[in-house]
């Protein structure tokens, strides 16, 4: 865009990304087990998810036999700090900035989606569909 890095570094407070995922129908959701192969295909770590119960709507009159009803947001918020400002000023790569942001506590879209799937609000397929493999 032609904006000088020092202007971005000094004025930017944060960056938010958001996506909408379909919510499980609360009327017909039921527990679902994913195979290790399915989890790997979607880019999730098997060991981190083996003890969780996930849910998926089977379809009913309430959701028009789709299994989903409504939408919920998943979010990623990068809050600028001095380290990130310095990296922006130096024109560090996107990957370097992402790693530094994760180190300082940023939750990615996929991680937030995973938390909502663990709570039974959505499915892992929906999280994968909207975020892809990181």
């Amino acid at each position: 865009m032609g904006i000088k890095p020092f202007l971005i570094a000094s004025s930017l407070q944060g960056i938010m990304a958001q996506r909408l995922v379909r919510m499980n129908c609360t009327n017909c959701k039921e527990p679902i087990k994913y195979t290790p192969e399915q989890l790997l295909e979607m880019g999730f770590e098997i060991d981190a998810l083996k003890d969780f119960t996930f849910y998926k709507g089977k379809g009913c009159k309430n959701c028009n036999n789709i299994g989903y009803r409504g939408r919920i947001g998943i979010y990623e918020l990068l809050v600028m700090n001095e380290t990130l400002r310095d990296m922006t000023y130096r024109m560090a790569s996107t990957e370097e900035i992402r790693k530094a942001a994760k180190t300082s506590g940023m939750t990615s879209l996929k991680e937030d989606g995973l938390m909502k799937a663990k709570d039974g609000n959505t499915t892992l397929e929906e999280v994968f569909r909207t975020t892809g493999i990181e």
Side-chain angles (χ1 to χ4, degrees), residues 73-76 107-117 127:
I74 57 174
Y75 306 96
E76 175 176 294
T107 302
S108 72
L109 282 170
K110 193 167 203 169
E111 291 167 342
D112 189 44
L114 181 58
M115 286 187 273
K116 290 185 169 110
V127 174

Side-chain angles (χ1 to χ4, degrees), residues 14-106:
I15 301 168
M16 176 177 268
Q18 61 184 9
R19 302 285 186 278
L20 289 176
V21 294
R22 296 180 293 177
M23 290 180 61
N24 282 323
C25 175
T26 55
N27 198 46
C28 66
K29 75 178 181 181
E30 59 187 15
I32 182 174
K33 279 288 190 188
Y34 292 98
T35 66
E37 293 79 24
Q38 288 173 312
L39 293 173
L40 282 175
E41 273 183 33
M42 290 186 277
F44 295 108
E45 294 179 25
I46 297 169
D47 293 337
L49 302 179
K50 66 180 177 184
D51 295 330
F52 288 97
T53 300
F54 293 99
Y55 293 87
K56 184 173 185 169
K58 66 179 179 180
C60 67
K61 186 177 177 182
N62 188 46
C63 63
N64 293 323
N65 292 313
I66 297 172
Y68 297 103
R69 184 167 175 91
R71 295 189 184 265
I72 190 170
I74 57 174
Y75 306 96
E76 175 176 294
L77 177 63
L78 181 150
V79 178
M80 292 297 281
N81 59 30
E82 286 306 313
T83 303
L84 296 173
R85 286 186 204 291
D86 182 54
M87 293 177 83
T88 304
Y89 183 73
R90 291 186 293 108
M91 295 178 63
S93 71
T94 303
E95 189 57 36
E96 289 176 301
I97 292 173
R98 180 173 274 286
K99 283 181 184 176
K102 301 256 305 157
T103 301
S104 63
M106 180 184 82

